[in-house]
Amino acid sequence: MFKSIEASRITISELMLPSHSNFSGKIHGGYILNLMDQIAFACASKHSEAYCVTASVDTVDFLNPIEVGELVTMKASINYVGQTSMVVGIRVESEHIQTGKIKHCNSSYFTMVAKDDNGHKKTVAGIILDQEIEVRRFLKALKRNEMKRKRRDEFDHEDFSHKNYLDDLKNYNVKIVI
């Protein structure tokens, strides 16, 4: 079975309140991450028709601060599906209510895994890619997964030794005293 990306696309908007701000008066990044996790869950659950859990979050770059009183809009869509996992792409924008000026604040990718009623991984429907941008997003997700796998293979094995990388640290602001 295959589903269109449009079938699970979700948009949410929320007015940013003073209670969402950090000590510098900007909206707290943790609050935005919480909203992003919620929309990723909703999008993935809608696609998979199952409960979903967050497996990983990739590339969270806060590009522009969000101010109290701005309207934050998040757009989520499925960018990639595997057997039981989905990559949800999320775009975060803020709008100054009085001027209408819109800022791109963040884009991120959440890997979500579908679960059945017993907590086991559940197979998800494939996606139909009917636009060039959807094909690009799918391919980019594939490449991010491939890079993640390579990083894991290089660093997460028993015989990994920091000694193999000490020369790489010469140009960094670090003093090693071991």
Side-chain angles (χ1 to χ4, degrees), residues 130-146:
D130 59 10
Q131 296 179 24
E132 282 186 32
I133 192 165
E134 295 170 352
V135 174
R136 282 196 308 271
R137 287 175 179 159
F138 190 92
L139 288 169
K140 286 179 179 183
L142 269 178
K143 290 296 180 186
R144 277 193 305 277
N145 285 343
E146 192 178 288

Side-chain angles (χ1 to χ4, degrees), residues 49-64:
E49 300 175 1
Y51 179 78
C52 292
V53 296
T54 306
S56 69
V57 180
D58 193 15
T59 317
V60 179
D61 295 322
F62 293 97
L63 306 172
N64 290 296

Side-chain angles (χ1 to χ4, degrees), residues 46-118:
K46 194 172 178 183
H47 178 83
S48 65
E49 300 175 1
Y51 179 78
C52 292
V53 296
T54 306
S56 69
V57 180
D58 193 15
T59 317
V60 179
D61 295 322
F62 293 97
L63 306 172
N64 290 296
I66 300 170
E67 306 289 337
V68 171
E70 290 184 332
L71 182 67
V72 167
T73 299
M74 295 187 182
K75 301 171 186 177
S77 62
I78 302 294
N79 286 3
Y80 168 86
V81 293
Q83 291 298 310
T84 61
S85 66
M86 298 147 282
V87 173
V88 178
I90 302 170
R91 181 178 174 92
V92 180
E93 297 175 338
S94 68
E95 179 181 355
H96 188 281
I97 299 289
Q98 288 131 337
T99 66
K101 183 180 177 196
I102 295 174
K103 298 182 291 191
H104 177 210
C105 300
N106 186 333
S107 289
S108 191
Y109 309 96
F110 280 58
T111 300
M112 308 297 287
V113 176
K115 300 285 188 164
D116 65 17
D117 292 338
N118 298 314

